[in-house]
Amino acid sequence: MSTNIARSRAKMTTTKADLSKEATPKVQPEIQPYEKPMKWFDGLVLVPGQNETRSLIDQDPDLENWDWYLNARFKHFQQSLEKLKTIYPGGLDEFSSGYLKMGLVLHDDNSITYTEWAEGIIEASLIGDFNAFNPSAHLLKHEIDEHTGSSYWTIHLPVMENGQPQIPLGSEVKIRITLPSGESLDRFPAWVLRATQSQNPPEVLFRARIERLPPIYNGARPLAPRTPKIYEAHIGAATSKPHAIGTFEEFEKNVLWRVKAGGYNTLQLMGIMEHPYYASYGYQVSSFFAVSSRFGSIASLTSLIDAAHKQGIRVILDVVHGHSCTNDMESLNMFNGTRGMYFSEDSKGDHPIWGTAVNQSWTGNYGQYFSSDTDHAGVEYFMLANHIIKTLFPFVTTIAEDTAGFPTLALSTDIGGLGFDYRLTLGPAYHLFHLLKTEPDDANWSVRDIVASLGNRRLQLGEKTIAFVESHDQCIEGGKTMSQWLFDDEIYTQMSVFQTPTPKVERAMALHKMLRLMVFAFAGEGYMNFMGNEFGHPEWLVFPSVQNGFHTTHCRRQWDLADFSRDLRYRDLARFDREMLEAEERGQWGSAELGHVWTQDEDSRLVVFTRANHLFIFNWNTKLPAKDDNLPIPEPWALEGQYRIELSTTSGVAGAVVNDLNKLILQPRSAVVISTLMELSA
């Protein structure tokens, strides 16, 4: 599960070596002390001297000023957790199984129960093509939950005498609600599992459909990998056809094997929830429990997941909490005639950049991490969700997309953290693309700034990171991919392996490899890549919209460009990406603590560091090779022995065994990963 959290700034700590001291200093914004007590914590009793989150502060002394808040947050979370266990007889399992009783539930005996939460209305009925949209045919009964006081509307439809359900599978369904004013509104059932939009004839609005829940998966699941190697994919754009939208079935048949062959152990699928506007990439969600019908059925998605599991590939679904479609007729917006049921009534309920509604208690604008501006309910939601997931499904991995280094984000809820396993950090990609945009000549890049930016994370505090060079953000229209920045126009004219490479192509090939290796080896405990970028796909994704006449021509991935038979340089980039992942699998350095940064020199432009008994050497010099006195090999690697070149950004070097690293020569713009075949002294 990947989700979205705060997009503010905060002071971040560095890795084992205090890298930031040698880099260009950056001014951190001053954070004002919070006011206490805050309304969210009204009634909370804290005993002086009893702080169960003290370990957070012991790990990160910068949190000392917010000890009261961290303790109060943890206590409030514990109380909410106990309240849930008290309210629901089945405990957390029952609480988290709302999909079994909410919405349209088609039971095994073909009877149907429909239940909807709706406050502030006076009447509700179930309508659809099955009853000619007659609001008098299936009136819902109003009930008040004895535990929560919430207002529910429900109806039970017994199975017919012929054994068939009263509402045929696939029928269109809506809920018609009547407001106290007498006004009637037709709305999508909030928990609907299926929504469709006809293309022939074309329809503007989606239609909610009754769907049967798929059977619970009982097959074998791959274990959590030591180091996640994540392949991010968009199903619709994963097709190679120029005038089509990709499907789950097509991905399973044509793409999944490429993910496996490329060395990736995790598949992350974005844009899975139903969204009316395709060009939103899945970030304007209308139905949070429905699979996007553009890509296929629930059954075809589960088939893809099952196939991935059989190949040892885990699957992560990108869960979009922070963006909800504002179309009243096909989303949660204005469900009961007001914004307040599912969203904040004020400006906090709007996301002006995306034109979406922000789900109340799910995300917010964090002006500060620990203040009255913090969305306390949103933070606690993540804590509760992660605790429930880890309690009921301990094999599940959760990842939070994070731009700011939110403190305690990837620490266990047992000690007061938010409970994610990893943070997906956007910092390295932002820094590298900023370099490409503002300084075209890599001879002027500061190697210390690169090291400081990539090392600026909270690993020493126990929080693990997924790093990447490019995600989907860098590959959508309006941006440029790494390969587009590096190759420029020659990406279309100079990619044949039979052509003598131009200086621009040589530079692009080298930096495309070096930047990926540097990010994976230095910036995280896991690695992510967006589909096609591993081989430098020559185009960004242009989703169909009004502006381009709804064409899908450039919303695809041309996988065959990297096939060996095409004799294009893309295959060399794909091969290096695979070799990099394989080298990590052999050396297991991705999950190890970062060792020592021996060299980060602006004059020689060398970066040398160790990790998991491996030596990493990067020569960022654009003209001079690194050798002899200009290649400082750290002790004890300088001693003669047996060393193996595990990976090299230049061809024909990997796999070689050398006895004396002092005789090593690194060409300009190149990098190597070296292992030792003997025990090294400290």
Side-chain angles (χ1 to χ4, degrees):
M1 180 178 105
S2 175
T3 186
N4 200 309
I5 195 168
R7 294 182 180 274
S8 54
R9 294 180 60 86
K11 181 178 180 182
M12 293 179 62
T13 54
T14 62
T15 49
K16 185 175 181 180
D18 193 357
L19 310 173
S20 61
K21 291 181 179 179
E22 298 188 42
T24 303
K26 297 181 180 179
V27 178
Q28 296 290 347
E30 182 179 356
I31 300 177
Q32 299 297 327
Y34 53 76
E35 317 84 36
K36 60 178 184 180
M38 303 176 198
K39 186 176 180 180
W40 176 255
F41 301 121
D42 282 355
L44 196 64
V45 178
L46 299 178
V47 179
Q50 293 185 8
N51 190 339
E52 296 183 52
T53 59
R54 187 67 212 180
S55 61
L56 298 178
I57 300 168
D58 292 340
Q59 287 177 298
D60 185 0
D62 288 337
L63 297 177
E64 183 72 50
N65 290 334
W66 295 282
D67 61 335
W68 180 90
Y69 175 89
L70 292 169
N71 194 33
R73 185 181 77 180
F74 187 46
K75 289 291 186 182
H76 197 283
F77 156 73
Q78 290 178 315
Q79 289 186 6
S80 297
L81 196 60
E82 289 305 312
K83 185 177 180 180
L84 290 177
K85 294 177 181 178
T86 301
I87 290 176
Y88 295 91
L92 298 179
D93 193 10
E94 179 184 351
F95 168 69
S96 62
S97 301
Y99 65 95
L100 295 177
K101 61 180 181 180
M102 296 297 295
L104 285 149
V105 179
L106 182 56
H107 301 286
D108 291 340
D109 64 356
N110 280 338
S111 64
I112 297 172
T113 303
Y114 175 53
T115 305
E116 195 76 63
W117 171 56
E119 305 283 356
I121 67 173
I122 60 174
E123 188 176 84
S125 58
L126 182 62
I127 61 174
D129 52 11
F130 63 94
N131 65 5
F133 296 92
N134 180 1
S136 302
H138 294 87
L139 289 172
L140 274 60
K141 179 183 177 182
H142 184 212
E143 297 180 351
I144 301 295
D145 187 280
E146 61 177 321
H147 299 295
T148 65
S150 297
S151 181
Y152 291 97
W153 299 79
T154 186
I155 187 173
H156 180 73
L157 304 177
V159 62
M160 296 193 298
E161 291 184 359
N162 62 2
Q164 296 301 309
Q166 291 193 37
I167 305 177
L169 199 66
S171 297
E172 181 182 359
V173 289
K174 292 182 180 180
I175 179 174
R176 177 165 295 176
I177 62 177
T178 304
L179 306 180
S181 64
E183 180 185 4
S184 293
L185 302 173
D186 289 351
R187 292 291 185 259
F188 252 47
W191 295 68
V192 71
L193 299 175
R194 183 76 170 161
T196 63
Q197 182 186 47
S198 174
Q199 300 301 316
N200 188 24
E203 293 181 328
V204 175
L205 295 177
F206 273 72
R207 299 174 185 267
R209 306 283 181 183
I210 185 170
E211 181 73 75
R212 190 185 297 275
L213 275 171
I216 296 176
Y217 178 75
N218 291 315
R221 292 182 173 89
L223 298 176
R226 173 188 46 78
T227 299
K229 302 178 180 72
I230 302 173
Y231 199 81
E232 185 188 26
H234 185 283
I235 294 294
T239 182
S240 59
K241 302 173 184 176
H243 305 294
I245 293 176
T247 65
F248 297 123
E249 183 178 358
E250 182 182 2
F251 193 98
E252 179 182 340
K253 179 181 178 181
N254 299 332
V255 184
L256 188 60
W257 71 268
R258 293 182 182 272
V259 178
K260 177 68 174 179
Y264 291 88
N265 55 32
T266 305
L267 173 64
Q268 178 173 320
L269 300 178
M270 59 175 292
I272 294 300
M273 295 172 166
E274 191 58 86
H275 50 287
Y277 185 42
Y278 186 45
S280 73
Y281 330 117
Y283 286 90
Q284 293 184 4
V285 179
S286 56
S287 299
F288 286 84
F289 295 90
V291 171
S292 179
S293 57
R294 294 182 184 88
F295 310 146
S297 64
I298 298 176
S300 58
L301 171 59
T302 57
S303 175
L304 167 59
I305 295 173
D306 292 350
H309 285 172
K310 291 176 182 177
Q311 296 191 43
I313 298 173
R314 304 181 89 219
V315 179
I316 292 178
L317 300 183
D318 192 358
V319 179
V320 180
H321 285 137
H323 302 281
S324 181
C325 172
T326 56
N327 300 345
D328 299 353
M329 297 294 292
E330 52 190 350
S331 72
L332 300 178
N333 192 49
M334 303 293 289
F335 189 85
N336 66 342
T338 71
R339 293 289 298 276
M341 246 191 74
Y342 284 103
F343 311 100
S344 295
E345 292 277 15
D346 56 19
S347 60
K348 290 183 178 180
D350 294 313
H351 200 304
I353 296 177
W354 278 86
T356 55
V358 177
N359 295 70
Q360 189 173 16
S361 298
W362 287 358
T363 189
N365 298 316
Y366 288 73
Q368 300 167 342
Y369 293 127
F370 314 118
S371 75
S372 56
D373 293 329
T374 302
D375 185 348
H376 309 294
V379 171
E380 185 165 292
Y381 165 79
F382 287 129
M383 296 176 72
L384 289 169
N386 277 311
H387 179 84
I388 292 171
I389 289 171
K390 298 305 178 186
T391 301
L392 301 178
F393 309 102
F395 51 84
V396 171
T397 297
T398 61
I399 303 171
E401 180 181 320
D402 174 48
T403 62
F406 189 102
T408 73
L409 177 67
L411 292 176
S412 171
T413 57
D414 292 341
I415 59 173
L418 271 65
F420 290 96
D421 295 292
Y422 296 88
R423 69 173 74 244
L424 179 68
T425 177
L426 281 68
Y430 284 1
H431 181 79
L432 296 178
F433 273 83
H434 177 73
L435 282 179
L436 292 171
K437 294 175 184 178
T438 60
E439 183 48 76
D441 187 357
D442 57 298
N444 296 325
W445 293 357
S446 168
V447 296
R448 290 184 178 180
D449 276 356
I450 292 176
V451 169
S453 175
L454 270 56
N456 194 17
R457 53 199 177 94
R458 303 176 63 84
L459 174 59
Q460 69 195 55
L461 307 176
E463 300 190 57
K464 295 184 291 186
T465 293
I466 303 292
F468 64 89
V469 175
E470 298 175 274
S471 70
H472 66 272
D473 283 336
Q474 287 74 38
C475 303
I476 57 180
E477 185 180 12
K480 292 174 70 174
T481 65
M482 180 69 70
S483 61
Q484 286 177 304
W485 278 108
L486 294 174
F487 289 97
D488 200 25
D489 57 338
E490 293 189 11
I491 200 170
Y492 301 109
T493 61
Q494 299 293 322
M495 297 304 285
S496 170
V497 296
F498 300 116
Q499 293 173 295
T500 301
T502 65
K504 181 181 290 187
V505 167
E506 286 185 328
R507 171 184 180 271
M509 294 290 289
L511 290 179
H512 196 275
K513 299 173 184 178
M514 291 181 69
L515 291 172
R516 276 166 165 70
L517 177 58
M518 184 72 186
V519 167
F520 188 12
F522 198 82
E525 289 65 58
Y527 179 73
M528 188 184 78
N529 167 74
F530 183 71
M531 61 179 191
N533 290 346
E534 70 276 14
F535 63 84
H537 195 281
E539 292 183 337
W540 55 50
L541 294 175
V542 183
F543 279 75
S545 64
V546 174
Q547 288 75 16
N548 60 29
F550 295 99
H551 289 167
T552 58
T553 305
H554 299 289
C555 190
R556 60 180 179 134
R557 299 278 91 172
Q558 300 179 63
W559 307 101
D560 64 311
L561 292 175
D563 289 345
F564 190 83
S565 60
R566 291 295 301 272
D567 294 322
L568 298 173
R569 301 188 198 280
Y570 302 110
R571 75 185 189 191
D572 296 329
L573 297 178
R575 181 176 62 238
F576 175 80
D577 191 77
R578 181 183 68 252
E579 290 175 350
M580 177 179 70
L581 301 185
E582 291 172 347
E584 191 286 325
E585 197 64 31
R586 292 192 303 271
Q588 301 188 8
W589 38 262
S591 57
E593 183 179 359
L594 186 64
H596 187 73
V597 179
W598 296 92
T599 303
Q600 45 177 327
D601 186 71
E602 297 288 12
D603 293 329
S604 66
R605 305 192 56 72
L606 282 174
V607 174
V608 181
F609 61 92
T610 52
R611 190 174 186 183
N613 215 24
H614 283 63
L615 182 67
F616 296 79
I617 307 176
F618 288 78
N619 182 16
W620 295 98
N621 201 300
T622 61
K623 297 179 180 179
L624 300 177
K627 61 180 181 178
D628 302 330
D629 293 339
N630 291 326
L631 181 57
I633 301 297
E635 296 287 352
W637 295 81
L639 300 176
E640 290 191 15
Q642 281 195 313
Y643 307 94
R644 181 165 52 217
I645 309 297
E646 295 290 347
L647 180 67
S648 172
T649 58
T650 57
S651 60
V653 178
V657 176
V658 296
N659 297 322
D660 188 354
L661 295 182
N662 295 291
K663 297 179 180 179
L664 196 65
I665 299 176
L666 259 71
Q667 297 302 318
R669 294 194 186 104
S670 68
V672 293
V673 181
I674 303 171
S675 67
T676 177
L677 303 179
M678 60 184 187
E679 289 291 329
L680 293 178
S681 59

